[in-house]
Amino acid sequence: MATYDKAIESYKKAVTTAASVAASAMLVRGVVNELLPYEVRDLLTSGLGYLRSRMSSQHTVVIEETEGWAANQLYDAARAYLATRINIDMQRLRVSRVDEGKSLMFSMEEGEEMADLHDGAEFRWRLVCRDNPGAGAGNGNGGRGGNGSYRLEVRSFEMSFHKKHKEKAITSYLPHILATAKKIKEQDRTLKIYMNEGESWFAIDLHHPSTFSTLAMDHKMKQSVMDDLERFVKRKEYYKRIGKAWKRGYLLYGPPGTGKSSLIAAMANYLKFDVYDLELTEVNWNSTLRRLLIGMTNRSILVIEDIDCSVDLQQRDEGQDGTKSNPSEDKMTLSGLLNFVDGLWSTSGEERIIIFTTNYKERLDPALLRPGRMDMHIHMGYCCPESFRILASNYHSISDHDTYPEIEELIKEVMVTPAEVAEVLMRNDDTDIALEGLIQFLKGKKSDAKDSKGENVDHVAKEDAKEMTTKQDASGDQNLNDAGKE
């Protein structure tokens, strides 16, 4: 009992002492606020904060959402980066989706913390939101966000770490976040395809599903194209060192229906490059062409399809009738186009790919085929057994079938395009029926080819016989003339 009374008495003394200290602190604070100017109080507060930070082993980097009028790129990068590192078991999460085709994006909620490890160092992150006192004032730019609108709150990330990791945080971790966020953005962004009208480009979203894995194309050629693209995007310093514009040219040629457009889409999806589809019939002047081409973004693909027949390109020094043209005229010429491909205007952008397509390579002007203009010539040929297997896998999700040997033998004998094979495979969802239909289709083409070949042989024989008869008649007439002279 005596022990209990002593405990009660000690508790009362502790409460009385705490109340006395609190009252004294409030009294001192009141006196300080009354007697000391604001500047002195602010200096004392800053000094105490400085002493506290010097004594602490933790350092903190604050990353604000905006920097003056502009958005803070590091904040956006940190947000994208942390979304891939976040623990969904956290007590509070923020989740969003801005596009129907995109996956859910998780982010930190206000006040939540998470840890991230980089190169053996731990970095703790915390999202801080505070009211913006300048949001309604409209003076200065304190209340404006990166897009010029006023924000009711200011958000920031606080990144804390041990002071011994300060150099690693600045020189390694933050650049790592920026680089990773850039890759995430490139992978998630929606590609655009642009078409020209007048001197302007107009864009729509590009949702073409073609990829190199679904492309019906010879494997070695496909791998060669992929390797060439990979080497190109990694050679910025190389192109700078050798003094050449950072661009690459491809000529795709072959019969219609062999997958030239699908290859272009696969290249765009592989590199995450936007596509500029240039319709030359809409361009009348070299100056218009230049404005369009310099209006392209970097990391993009310029496509001119069917260049052999899309427009009648003439050399700069020739008119339509072969005569010298008027130098004052600015009509679009082959020279004007080639000047962008490898002339002075080729340096108006970086990391660009130029693709020409044609069904008839032999019809192209030799100037287009000169070394250094189209770096890689890719022949898109008829369907081969390997291409057929890819198409069968795409349309019917099979890797083998009893009919494959017969189909592959027919494909070796018949000139058939991947588009024709794909069209037959799409006619029926039943795999057996679709493949049997393809066999009948290939046999029909083979029979037609034989008939056509037979007709050609008969036609050639008739022409040879006619030519022989003509020669014999001419010889007979000559003999009669010689006899008459005698």
Side-chain angles (χ1 to χ4, degrees), residues 23-180:
S24 300
M26 293 180 64
L27 177 63
V28 171
R29 181 179 179 183
V31 171
V32 169
N33 288 338
E34 288 292 332
L35 298 181
L36 295 180
Y38 170 78
E39 292 79 2
V40 176
R41 297 201 308 271
D42 188 52
L43 183 62
L44 288 175
T45 303
S46 300
L48 290 174
Y50 174 76
L51 290 175
R52 189 165 54 249
S53 65
R54 295 291 292 179
M55 295 174 64
S56 174
S57 61
Q58 290 293 109
H59 281 192
T60 300
V61 172
V62 178
I63 305 172
E64 298 278 359
E65 184 176 14
T66 60
E67 187 64 33
W69 292 83
N72 186 349
Q73 294 182 5
L74 186 54
Y75 178 91
D76 294 335
R79 183 169 179 267
Y81 173 81
L82 293 176
T84 64
R85 300 293 194 274
I86 203 163
N87 184 1
I88 59 175
D89 293 331
M90 292 174 64
Q91 194 170 16
R92 289 175 62 84
L93 284 173
R94 179 177 294 178
V95 62
S96 61
R97 189 174 77 168
V98 296
D99 192 335
E100 185 177 351
K102 303 296 183 182
S103 57
L104 298 179
M105 180 176 180
F106 294 93
S107 57
M108 297 172 63
E109 181 59 290
E110 177 185 359
E112 290 290 335
E113 292 189 11
M114 64 172 288
D116 184 41
L117 292 177
H118 174 73
D119 197 16
E122 183 182 70
F123 298 88
R124 302 198 65 83
W125 290 86
R126 180 167 172 262
L127 178 64
V128 177
C129 300
R130 65 179 187 275
D131 293 335
N132 185 4
N139 49 6
N141 61 6
R144 288 188 181 270
N147 60 358
S149 60
Y150 286 101
R151 294 185 180 272
L152 297 178
E153 66 176 9
V154 177
R155 289 173 290 188
S156 61
F157 283 116
E158 291 186 355
M159 182 184 73
S160 302
F161 49 90
H162 195 280
K163 61 182 180 181
K164 67 180 180 181
H165 299 310
K166 184 175 182 179
E167 183 176 355
K168 182 179 295 183
I170 302 300
T171 62
S172 176
Y173 187 48
L174 291 180
H176 167 70
I177 290 175
L178 288 170
T180 304

Side-chain angles (χ1 to χ4, degrees), residues 72-331:
N72 186 349
Q73 294 182 5
L74 186 54
Y75 178 91
D76 294 335
R79 183 169 179 267
Y81 173 81
L82 293 176
T84 64
R85 300 293 194 274
I86 203 163
N87 184 1
I88 59 175
D89 293 331
M90 292 174 64
Q91 194 170 16
R92 289 175 62 84
L93 284 173
R94 179 177 294 178
V95 62
S96 61
R97 189 174 77 168
V98 296
D99 192 335
E100 185 177 351
K102 303 296 183 182
S103 57
L104 298 179
M105 180 176 180
F106 294 93
S107 57
M108 297 172 63
E109 181 59 290
E110 177 185 359
E112 290 290 335
E113 292 189 11
M114 64 172 288
D116 184 41
L117 292 177
H118 174 73
D119 197 16
E122 183 182 70
F123 298 88
R124 302 198 65 83
W125 290 86
R126 180 167 172 262
L127 178 64
V128 177
C129 300
R130 65 179 187 275
D131 293 335
N132 185 4
N139 49 6
N141 61 6
R144 288 188 181 270
N147 60 358
S149 60
Y150 286 101
R151 294 185 180 272
L152 297 178
E153 66 176 9
V154 177
R155 289 173 290 188
S156 61
F157 283 116
E158 291 186 355
M159 182 184 73
S160 302
F161 49 90
H162 195 280
K163 61 182 180 181
K164 67 180 180 181
H165 299 310
K166 184 175 182 179
E167 183 176 355
K168 182 179 295 183
I170 302 300
T171 62
S172 176
Y173 187 48
L174 291 180
H176 167 70
I177 290 175
L178 288 170
T180 304
K182 182 180 179 181
K183 292 180 180 179
I184 294 172
K185 183 179 179 181
E186 287 296 324
Q187 290 297 323
D188 289 344
R189 79 181 187 93
T190 301
L191 298 182
K192 300 287 184 181
I193 181 169
Y194 293 80
M195 60 180 179
N196 61 299
E197 184 175 329
E199 298 185 356
S200 303
W201 292 106
F202 297 91
I204 60 173
D205 291 345
L206 177 62
H207 295 296
H208 200 296
S210 178
T211 64
F212 278 109
S213 61
T214 62
L215 195 62
M217 184 179 177
D218 177 74
H219 176 74
K220 290 183 178 179
M221 177 58 73
K222 186 189 302 185
Q223 190 61 50
S224 176
V225 174
M226 294 171 65
D227 292 343
D228 193 73
L229 293 173
E230 281 288 343
R231 186 165 53 251
F232 167 72
V233 296
K234 295 176 180 178
R235 296 182 113 185
K236 179 178 181 179
E237 294 302 322
Y238 172 79
Y239 277 91
K240 184 177 180 180
R241 178 167 58 83
I242 65 176
K244 292 189 65 175
W246 191 14
K247 54 88 182 172
R248 190 79 173 157
Y250 297 88
L251 174 67
L252 312 185
Y253 67 97
T258 51
K260 293 185 286 292
S261 296
S262 296
L263 175 56
I264 294 171
M267 294 168 74
N269 287 326
Y270 185 69
L271 296 176
K272 295 298 179 182
F273 279 19
D274 290 333
V275 175
Y276 288 79
D277 187 10
L278 180 62
E279 180 57 61
L280 288 179
T281 57
E282 292 288 327
V283 183
N284 296 319
W285 313 100
N286 280 333
S287 56
T288 302
L289 180 64
R290 283 193 293 270
R291 291 188 184 95
L292 285 169
L293 297 179
I294 64 176
M296 293 171 53
T297 60
N298 294 333
R299 296 179 58 81
S300 59
I301 300 175
L302 173 68
V303 178
I304 304 179
E305 295 189 277
D306 299 323
I307 191 170
D308 56 301
C309 57
S310 59
V311 70
D312 185 17
L313 290 172
Q314 62 189 47
Q315 290 289 356
R316 178 174 54 191
D317 56 349
E318 293 183 359
Q320 294 291 346
D321 56 357
T323 60
K324 296 289 183 179
S325 61
N326 188 348
S328 62
E329 293 182 357
D330 187 37
K331 288 187 176 182

